[in-house]
Amino acid sequence: MTPAERAAHHEAQPLVTELVAEHAAAVQRAEVLAFLYPTTAGVLPAVVKGWLERWMVPGVAFVFDERTNRVRPGLRNIRRIVGVATYPGGRASRWIGGDGGRRIILRALRLNTGLRTSTDWLGLHHRDTVGDAERDAFLNSIDAAAASW
């Protein structure tokens, strides 16, 4: 984030660039948010994290209810959040490392959409060493799951 973008988080107009405003508008029209990325060191890639931070601002991702002094979800239009990630290690290393990307997408982002939002997560482990058959099976599982999105 630029210093201007960070400062704008506390202003009435937090979307400081036209591109970010366009992305926010697209998210506000969407019904499904899908994230596809490679996991490294158990976290989201910087480009995904930065993208989320730029548009997940007051008035878009959440709203302040002045009557109750509480935060309300701003993305009630989202009916499903999907994550597809590849991992360098196995399930145990993902579990030990905390799988921060999955937590951010399926838990934190879901707080901005409402708790009734459906979620799906598909992961390919040992991405650098799996064979063609395992990779094809993973792609087929994505196709099968996407039919319900």
Side-chain angles (χ1 to χ4, degrees):
M1 262 188 204
T2 66
E5 288 172 323
R6 179 68 184 120
H9 268 274
H10 304 287
E11 301 297 326
Q13 296 296 326
L15 300 171
V16 296
T17 69
E18 188 176 318
L19 181 61
V20 173
E22 288 174 11
H23 286 214
V27 170
Q28 289 174 312
R29 291 188 308 269
E31 292 183 12
V32 177
L33 289 179
F35 297 86
L36 297 88
Y37 64 88
T39 299
T40 304
V43 296
L44 287 170
V47 68
V48 176
K49 187 174 182 292
W51 182 77
L52 286 167
E53 289 173 349
R54 283 182 169 86
W55 67 263
M56 286 190 63
V57 296
V60 178
F62 55 94
V63 294
F64 292 109
D65 187 331
E66 292 184 22
R67 184 179 55 82
T68 63
N69 282 336
R70 294 183 183 228
V71 174
R72 290 186 293 116
L75 297 171
R76 298 236 181 228
N77 53 297
I78 303 297
R79 60 179 177 77
R80 184 176 297 269
I81 299 171
V82 177
V84 178
T86 61
Y87 299 92
R91 292 180 196 276
S93 64
R94 185 182 91 185
W95 185 80
I96 291 168
D99 202 358
R102 181 178 180 164
R103 281 197 328 257
I104 288 170
I105 290 170
L106 296 189
R107 293 184 190 172
L109 182 57
R110 190 169 174 219
L111 292 174
N112 295 291
T113 64
L115 297 178
R116 292 186 177 174
T117 303
S118 300
T119 61
D120 288 309
W121 194 265
L122 299 162
L124 175 66
H125 297 89
H126 302 289
R127 69 171 171 241
D128 299 326
T129 58
V130 296
D132 291 340
E134 293 92 351
R135 193 170 290 116
D136 288 344
F138 180 66
L139 293 173
N140 289 335
S141 71
I142 294 170
D143 286 342
S148 69
W149 302 337

